[in-house]
Amino acid sequence: MGILLRVLVAAGLAADAVVHWVFASDMAFVEGGSIAGDDLFRAQAILAAIAAVLVVVWARRWTYAVAFLVAASAVGALLLYYYVDVGPLGPLPQMYDPAWYTEKTISLVGEGVAALAALAGMLLPARSDDRSPSGAPDRAGAF
């Protein structure tokens, strides 16, 4: 099950990273806030890529937690800005986008799969082969 969770998290975050990186230049002219829209999209792409690598290299509860935060926050932002025109939020620009297109679907599905798989990775108990001879979880199962 562990390898399946790693693959699901990494693939979902990779889809998120690619879509955000490709669309970053389109967000350069978004108004409001002190953070430019293209910088925000590039930051999301980089964070998603880092979280994916962390889970692939070190599948620990804390790496799954990082991946969950990155993916779930992206799902939340996508849905919020699709349904609600909240305007600029503090340093964030006006990101309202009521249109739906293929790339948004790819991003949402990837983020959703990654969030659910990362949540499972955080909550499922460590496998029996992840335990030390004394029966206590080793560092791999620790937070």
Side-chain angles (χ1 to χ4, degrees):
M1 175 81 109
I3 192 72
L4 177 62
L5 291 178
R6 285 182 182 193
V7 168
L8 289 173
V9 171
L13 287 172
D16 176 41
V18 168
V19 170
H20 277 86
W21 192 264
V22 168
F23 277 90
S25 60
D26 294 342
M27 304 306 290
F29 305 104
V30 174
E31 296 183 11
S34 58
I35 300 174
D38 58 337
D39 292 339
L40 190 63
F41 265 52
R42 283 189 187 96
Q44 173 63 27
I46 291 167
L47 287 173
I50 290 170
V53 169
L54 283 173
V55 167
V56 168
V57 175
W58 297 292
R60 307 288 190 265
R61 286 196 172 119
W62 72 268
T63 59
Y64 282 120
V66 169
F68 175 76
L69 290 174
V70 170
S73 65
V75 168
L78 187 149
L79 293 175
L80 174 69
Y81 287 120
Y82 175 74
Y83 288 108
V84 182
D85 184 0
V86 295
L89 285 174
L92 301 177
Q94 163 65 294
M95 301 295 290
Y96 179 62
D97 183 11
W100 202 268
Y101 36 90
T102 303
E103 293 84 356
K104 191 179 273 191
T105 302
I106 292 168
S107 182
L108 179 63
V109 169
E111 295 157 0
V113 166
L116 292 174
L119 183 62
M122 286 181 351
L123 298 178
L124 289 176
R127 295 183 333 192
S128 61
D129 59 353
D130 290 340
R131 296 184 176 273
S132 67
S134 68
D138 69 3
R139 292 173 37 113
F143 229 106

